[in-house]
């Protein structure tokens, strides 16, 4: 492993970035009272620039990214991140704007945001969008607050249950708790779809919303979505669309037409903004017109008369602000650039090829791994490695072995309703050769599972570190470096 | 799997055990429970003096990938807690029925749904068949 | 089509392999009535060159900070970003990776976050830090939720001199949780301590104070810590990390949770985002802290490495019982901040803080010599200060903008009693000459 940057530090070394002050020099104690000033200097590293550059260059080489290779992480849409996106967001005209500079001096930025809102509304079939949420989970919280505000505005205060399918992402229940709601889990049927009878029993006067992804977390289209929407709407609840899987259906079907009232999208999944090793992302939220008055403020609007864009702060019914300023603008620039290049036809082609790749790969892999649900799938699919469990080989072992072959592992053990799940999303930007090679390796691993389980149980063997002891990490947490 | 089910204990369906003695009960989680959770990394204990009702949360047991509440098998007042678990949660894995005890409660009322060792073992075997 | 690799032959081969003829067949499960029967009404796709022309056109419609002199902060600060920061960030092994779910191939991200956590602990003087939040405002809101869970109390006291947008975010986050939020008024540019005594009870989960506060003044954090601790509650300090080279750290002052906006650590202004919310706390509260946390451990062969740890706190395991729904962080922004701090080192950071103080004080001394301009408060300040103006704030800013200067923030919008008060910010970026230019234009 690479030493920590603190361990490379040498007292007295430093870079040189600022000219000496050209205003009268003062001592800190002349400017602020002693008791308000710092006593002990922070132990930050002391290095020259080349040492810092080398350190982080080496760290980068311990990482695996989309630019390194195939990254079939289900539900995460690890598609190629076009380089033009990065350059666009780095343009001074975008990256060097103060959030409080006069609105007439950021008209290009507002036009970009406004158009992005319009494009996303058209793609999803919604009426209005906010770009404020900084991530998918942040979008969920925003969406649920919008729904609660809608009910409250109608004097409907008793709705405090949020329904989620048992295949739902963990953020759904956690977000529901944040808005003071309780979760009711709706079981899935054998084919992985929502059980309508169970849903009918669960809805009622206390139903605030149903949260759903479609295609669902198994990668299957919920074919009864119209009935589902009817059941929830008739009970007075609203439908929330988790847009994590939007890459499957662009130009084919729209959540707005399915009956969804609120959607969030992940610009870092479907719209090619990179994931940054965990962020920043962006989770814009779209709504039907009945929810529009409640959108977080400010709303980016356009004045037809003056032909100017502006931040609309006069929103008496708004749920308020979800963060400071206007959202992760830099991420929005990347998604906008992508939207410009793809256009409507391009986006439909994206979904077509994402679904083609997923089905092709599923077909290849189902010869060696069990496919719990019959296809076709949409942009991703779930397999189980349970046939190898008898040989003491678990999904985790297969995932780790894949790393040895130079692939990133799929999402594993999710959704929870499939035991030993492998959730695979190839995305549209992968070519046939990569898919074939991945399938060949997966077949080889299946063979290894039968012949040499130890090889898998001890995998990975070729990575910078091997399997890490998570128990020790949690029992005796070491969460920072300390000077000896 | 061969789990331990000591005869002198009473069990809950949620996998707690209680050892009753002179109006006090020592409470812990069962061998089956510690095994299903895996390596336990953290335990949140109740406060001594805290009053609990049957089924109230007595605390939380965390492993790397799971978390489970501990439910009170009786009502009463918490008299002592096993602070050794804070420094060494592995005791729960190693000796769930001895050094891994969680709390001592002065019993007001025992749950009427407690199982004998034999009944609890039957429940676990049934589970194993289903799973 | 850009970025789609399939040739027609390959597409045919793939379909044939599945025993179907068209891609359309793979969409047969979408009910007919839901099928979009028209094309998406979006502009036609563009080549890379044409798309670049369009984004450049939009970028040029904005006036960036290189085209004017910035004397405005208010939560977003222009500081010098060493060139190396951007170069390291552009390594795509960092920016095209996902959250480090497979630690064996993510040690770069994990170690960088571990180093970031250490930097934040050192800066704030706290014991532990998480891997970051969306921004300062959301970090503050999540800290409040954390304090409520720790104390099991349902009241919060917040200074009216916490950034107005942070306070609004807090209100939104807590709006459905039945929490009473009590606001402390201000006096002479500082949070009114006399009022604190009146509202502090043993029902208060936390007091939230920003330092330097929204008006730039330096609060006495230690006093707030002492008062709330007497009542068994927590102090949440929201701080500007750049100030921590010179100002007493939240840890030194006795704060329980420190949060803040990390944009000033080498991140571009970017019209308000993406930024970096940081959070650190005392060790005893670590299991109540939201967000991702990286820890050190060993691998199967005994070598040191890093993993995401204490995950049982988080939504994917604790689901509806989780204290927060956050499941990402701002890893790349945290990396930027870490590189910035590593390049500057402790002396460099102190120098930035010192120059901010010297230059802002120089500016304030010159400004108050102008007729019709006075310093609004006497409290000590860091890099921002408030002046009261006889001429309307709007008119002064108008004149400045026409002269290529972004003047102070007009505070009347946020605090009605501060009509015709301007909040100026002078960082290390401004030269003596530029400061004198500001004074000259205001003086007319």
């Amino acid at each position: 492993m690479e030493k920590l940057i603190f361990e490379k530090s040498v007292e007295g070394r430093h870079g040189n970035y600022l000219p000496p002050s050209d205003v009268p020099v003062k001592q800190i104690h002349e400017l602020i009272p002693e008791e308000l000033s710092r006593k002990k200097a922070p132990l930050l590293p002391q290095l020259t620039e080349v040492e810092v550059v080398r350190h982080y260059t080496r760290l980068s080489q311990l990482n695996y990214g989309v630019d390194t290779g195939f990254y079939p992480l289900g539900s995460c849409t690890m598609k190629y991140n076009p380089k033009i996106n990065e350059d666009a967001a780095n343009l001074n005209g975008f990256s060097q704007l103060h959030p409080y500079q006069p609105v007439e001096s950021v008209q290009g930025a507002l036009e970009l945001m406004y158009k992005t809102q319009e494009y996303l509304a058209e793609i999803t079939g919604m009426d209005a969008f906010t770009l404020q949420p900084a991530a998918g989970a942040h979008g969920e919280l925003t969406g649920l607050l919008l729904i609660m505000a809608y009910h409250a505005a109608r004097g409907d205060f008793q709705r405090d249950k949020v329904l989620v399918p048992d295949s739902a992402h963990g953020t759904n229940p956690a977000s529901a708790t944040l808005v003071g709601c309780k979760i009711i889990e709706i079981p899935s049927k054998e084919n992985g779809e929502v059980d309508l009878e169970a849903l009918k029993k669960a809805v009622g006067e206390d139903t605030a919303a149903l949260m759903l992804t479609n295609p669902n977390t198994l990668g299957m289209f919920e074919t009864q979505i119209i009935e589902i929407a009817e059941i929830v709407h008739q009970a007075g609840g609203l439908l929330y669309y988790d847009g994590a899987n939007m890459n499957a259906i662009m130009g084919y079907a729209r959540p707005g037409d399915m009956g969804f009232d609120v959607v969030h999208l992940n610009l870092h999944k479907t719209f090619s903004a990179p994931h940054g090793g965990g962020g920043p992302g962006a989770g814009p939220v779209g709504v039907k017109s009945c929810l529009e008055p409640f959108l977080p403020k400010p709303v980016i609007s356009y004045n037809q008369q003056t032909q100017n864009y502006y931040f609309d702060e006069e929103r008496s019914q708004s749920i308020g602000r979800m963060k400071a300023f206007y959202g992760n603008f830099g991420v929005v620039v990347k998604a906008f650039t992508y939207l410009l290049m793809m256009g409507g036809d391009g986006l439909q082609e994206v979904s077509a090829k994402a679904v083609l790749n997923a089905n092709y790969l599923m077909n290849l892999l189902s010869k060696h791994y069990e496919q719990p649900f019959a296809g076709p799938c949409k942009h991703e699919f779930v397999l189980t490695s349970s046939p190898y469990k008898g040989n003491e080989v678990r999904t985790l072992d297969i995932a780790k072995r894949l790393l040895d072959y130079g692939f990133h592992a799929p999402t594993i053990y999710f959704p929870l309703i499939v035991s030993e799940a492998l959730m695979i999303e190839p995305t549209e930007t992968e070519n046939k050769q990569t898919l074939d090679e991945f399938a060949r390796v997966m077949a080889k691993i299946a063979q290894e599972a039968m012949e040499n389980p130890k090889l898998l149980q001890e995998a990975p063997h070729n990575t910078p570190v091997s399997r890490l002891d998570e128990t020790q990490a949690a029992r005796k947490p070491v969460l920072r470096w300390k000077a000896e | 799997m061969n789990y331990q089910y000591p005869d002198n204990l009473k069990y809950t369906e949620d996998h707690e055990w209680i050892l009753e003695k002179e109006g006090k009960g020592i409470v812990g989680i069962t061998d089956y429970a510690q095994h299903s959770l895996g390596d336990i990394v953290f335990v949140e204990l109740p406060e001594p003096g805290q009053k609990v009702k049957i089924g109230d949360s007595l605390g939380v047991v965390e492993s790397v990938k799971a978390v489970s509440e501990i439910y009170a098998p009786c009502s009463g007042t918490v008299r002592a807690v096993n602070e050794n678990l804070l420094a060494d949660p592995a005791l729960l894995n190693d000796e769930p029925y001895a050094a891994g005890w969680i709390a001592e409660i002065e019993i007001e009322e025992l749950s009427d749904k407690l199982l004998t060792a034999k009944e609890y073992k039957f429940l676990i075997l049934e589970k194993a068949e289903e799973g | 089509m850009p970025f789609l690799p399939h040739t027609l032959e390959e597409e045919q081969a793939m379909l044939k392999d599945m025993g179907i003829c068209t891609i359309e067949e793979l969409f047969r499960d979408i009910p007919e009535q839901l099928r979009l029967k028209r094309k998406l009404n979006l502009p036609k796709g563009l080549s890379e060159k044409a798309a670049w022309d369009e984004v450049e056109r939009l970028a040029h419609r904005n006036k960036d900070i290189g085209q004017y002199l910035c004397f405005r902060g208010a939560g977003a600060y222009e500081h010098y970003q060493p060139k190396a920061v951007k170069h390291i960030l552009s390594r795509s092994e960092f920016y095209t990776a996902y959250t480090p779910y497979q630690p064996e191939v993510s040690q770069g991200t994990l170690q960088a976050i571990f180093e970031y956590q250490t930097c934040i602990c050192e800066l704030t003087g706290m014991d532990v830090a998480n891997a970051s939040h969306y921004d300062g405002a959301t970090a503050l809101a999540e800290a409040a939720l954390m304090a409520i869970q720790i104390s099991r109390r349902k009241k919060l006291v917040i200074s009216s001199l916490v950034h107005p947008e942070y306070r609004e975010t807090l209100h939104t986050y807590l709006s459905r949780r039945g929490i009473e939020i009590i606001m402390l008024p201000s006096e002479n540019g500082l949070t009114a301590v006399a009022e604190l005594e009146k509202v502090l009870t043993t029902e208060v989960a936390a007091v939230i104070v920003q330092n330097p506060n929204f008006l730039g003044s330096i609060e006495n954090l230690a006093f707030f810590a002492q008062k709330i601790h007497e009542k068994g509650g927590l102090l949440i300090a929201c701080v500007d990390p750049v100030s921590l080279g010179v100002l007493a750290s939240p840890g030194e002052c006795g704060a329980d949770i420190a949060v803040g906006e990390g944009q000033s650590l080498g991140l571009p202004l970017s019209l308000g985002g993406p930024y970096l919310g940081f959070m650190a706390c005392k060790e005893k509260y670590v299991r109540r802290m939201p967000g991702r946390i990286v820890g050190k451990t060993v691998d199967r062969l005994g070598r040191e490495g890093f993993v995401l740890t204490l995950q049982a706190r988080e939504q994917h395991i604790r689901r509806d019982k989780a204290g927060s729904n956050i499941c990402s962080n701002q890893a790349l922004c945290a990396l930027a901040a870490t590189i910035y701090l590593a390049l500057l080192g402790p002396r460099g950071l102190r120098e930035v803080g010192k120059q901010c103080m010297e230059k802002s004080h120089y500016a304030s001394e010159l400004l108050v010599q102008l007729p019709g301009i006075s310093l609004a408060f006497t409290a000590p300040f860091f890099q921002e200060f408030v002046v009261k103006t006889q001429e309307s704030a709007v008119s002064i800013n108008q004149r400045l903008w026409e002269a290529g200067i972004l003047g102070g923030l007009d505070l009347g919008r946020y605090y009605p009693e501060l009509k015709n008060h301007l909040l100026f910010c002078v960082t290390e970026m401004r030269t003596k000459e530029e400061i004198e230019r500001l004074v000259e234009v205001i003086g007319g």
Side-chain angles (χ1 to χ4, degrees), chain C residues 367-410:
Chain C
L367 279 170
V368 294
Q369 288 170 23
L370 294 174
I373 302 272
S374 58
L375 207 54
F377 311 114
T378 55
F381 60 87
F382 175 61
Q383 62 183 2
E384 289 176 283
F385 57 92
V386 179
V387 297
K388 193 176 171 190
T389 62
Q390 263 171 21
E391 184 185 345
S392 91
V394 175
S395 134
I396 290 178
N397 271 341
Q398 188 61 39
R399 288 196 292 117
L400 284 169
W401 187 243
E402 280 161 14
I405 296 174
L406 182 62
L409 187 77
D410 183 349

Side-chain angles (χ1 to χ4, degrees), chain A residues 169-242:
Chain A
H169 199 265
T171 50
N172 292 174
S175 304
T177 301
L178 278 175
V179 301
C181 284
K182 292 261 174 294
I183 279 289
I184 298 181
E185 274 199 3
I186 310 296
S188 302
K189 292 189 300 186
E190 266 178 23
N191 69 359
E193 292 194 25
V194 171
D195 183 339
L196 282 193
E197 291 312 308
L199 177 65
K200 278 181 198 156
K201 279 191 201 125
V203 296
E205 287 181 349
D206 59 355
T207 303
L210 169 72
M211 299 178 86
L212 210 61
T213 58
N214 193 16
N216 61 27
T217 55
L218 300 163
M220 316 289 288
F221 195 85
E222 291 278 355
T223 55
Q224 310 168 94
I225 182 62
I226 296 168
E227 292 87 335
I228 292 172
E230 260 174 31
I231 293 168
V232 175
H233 281 152
Q234 266 171 19
L238 296 182
L239 263 84
Y240 182 94
Y241 183 87
D242 178 336

Side-chain angles (χ1 to χ4, degrees), chain C residues 161-173:
Chain C
L161 300 184
V162 170
H163 194 300
E165 296 201 9
Y166 289 29
R167 281 187 278 121
E168 286 181 45
T169 304
L170 176 76
H171 276 273
T172 314
Y173 263 67

Side-chain angles (χ1 to χ4, degrees), chain A residues 1-3 5 12 17 19 21-22 26 28 32 36-40 43 45 55-57 59-60 63-67 71 76 82-83 92-93 95-98 100-101 105-106 108-109 111 119 122 137-138 168 170-171 175 177-179 223 225-226 248 252 254 274-280 313 319 321-326 328-330 340-341 343 345 349 353 357 363 378 400 428-429 433 464 466-467 469 473-474 478-481, chain C residues 3-6 10-11 14 17 24 26 29 33-34 36 38-39 41-43 45-46 57-58 61-65 68 72-74 76 91-98 102 104-106 108-109 111 114-115 117-118 122-123 127 134-135 138 163 165 168 172-173 176-177 218 244 246-248 252 269-271 273-274 287 295-300 303-304 315 319-320 325 328-332 338 343 345 347 350 354-355 358 365 413 432:
Chain A
M1 283 308 296
E2 195 66 22
K3 272 188 182 176
I5 193 149
Y17 298 101
S21 178
D22 55 359
K26 292 199 171 157
I28 284 165
I32 45 168
L36 300 181
S37 61
R38 181 143 194 153
K39 312 287 172 305
K40 184 174 166 284
L43 284 176
H55 177 76
Y56 289 104
T57 301
L59 287 195
S60 78
N63 258 12
Y64 189 101
V66 172
D67 283 4
Y71 213 128
C76 301
K83 298 302 162 199
N92 282 348
S95 68
Q96 304 298 327
L97 303 177
H98 193 284
Y100 289 150
Q101 72 183 62
S105 68
V106 291
E111 181 181 340
Y119 297 166
E122 165 65 7
H138 204 213
T171 50
S175 304
T177 301
L178 278 175
V179 301
T223 55
I225 182 62
I226 296 168
Y252 284 94
R254 310 191 303 171
H275 287 74
E313 297 271 0
I319 57 168
R321 238 171 249 279
M322 290 307 297
K323 69 188 286 295
F325 313 119
Y326 326 110
N328 281 349
F329 173 68
L340 279 185
M341 286 191 71
D345 288 350
E349 195 68 19
K353 295 294 159 54
N357 274 0
N363 186 45
K378 292 276 88 51
K400 296 302 182 196
E428 74 283 1
T429 55
Q433 291 73 28
S466 59
R467 230 177 268 200
D469 187 345
V478 178
L479 309 177
R480 55 166 297 186
W481 167 85
Chain C
F3 319 123
L4 301 179
H6 309 73
E10 285 170 335
E11 185 182 319
M14 290 166 83
D17 198 71
E24 275 306 297
L26 298 171
D29 50 347
Q33 65 190 109
L34 287 181
L36 189 63
R38 59 171 176 82
K39 292 198 175 297
N41 183 19
L42 259 57
L46 301 176
R57 180 188 73 80
L58 289 169
R61 286 196 66 197
N62 305 318
K63 199 166 170 181
D64 71 69
I65 208 158
Y68 61 82
R72 193 170 291 186
R91 296 220 40 126
S92 64
E93 296 94 328
F94 282 127
Y95 77 76
T96 70
Y98 197 73
Q102 297 291 339
E104 298 87 347
V105 290
S106 313
T109 296
Q111 182 169 336
F114 186 82
E115 292 175 354
Q117 288 172 183
T118 305
E122 283 296 330
L123 275 184
D127 302 323
Y134 310 133
D135 71 351
T138 57
H163 194 300
E165 296 201 9
E168 286 181 45
T172 314
Y173 263 67
R176 305 212 45 89
R177 298 295 292 268
I218 304 168
L244 294 177
V246 291
L247 297 190
E252 286 175 330
L269 287 163
S270 198
L271 198 66
R287 285 176 196 271
K296 193 162 99 168
T297 186
V298 292
D299 77 355
R300 204 170 53 82
R303 297 173 294 194
E304 283 186 350
Q315 46 76 30
R319 297 179 80 88
D320 57 323
N325 75 340
S328 59
N329 68 335
Q330 301 280 106
L332 203 67
T338 312
L343 289 169
R347 260 180 301 173
R350 189 175 169 84
K354 190 164 175 281
Q355 289 204 15
E358 285 167 354
E365 283 157 18
R413 180 179 145 194
K432 182 163 176 280

Side-chain angles (χ1 to χ4, degrees), chain A residues 243-298:
Chain A
N245 297 343
M246 194 64 207
N247 209 44
I249 57 168
M250 288 185 291
Y252 284 94
R254 310 191 303 171
D257 300 333
M258 298 174 202
F260 286 96
D261 304 288
V262 185
V263 313
H264 89 253
L265 296 171
N266 301 82
L267 297 188
H268 46 285
K269 294 179 180 174
T270 317
F271 300 100
S272 87
H275 287 74
V285 166
V287 293
K288 290 280 175 66
S289 56
C290 60
L291 288 148
E292 204 246 332
F294 310 107
L295 284 177
K297 62 181 178 183

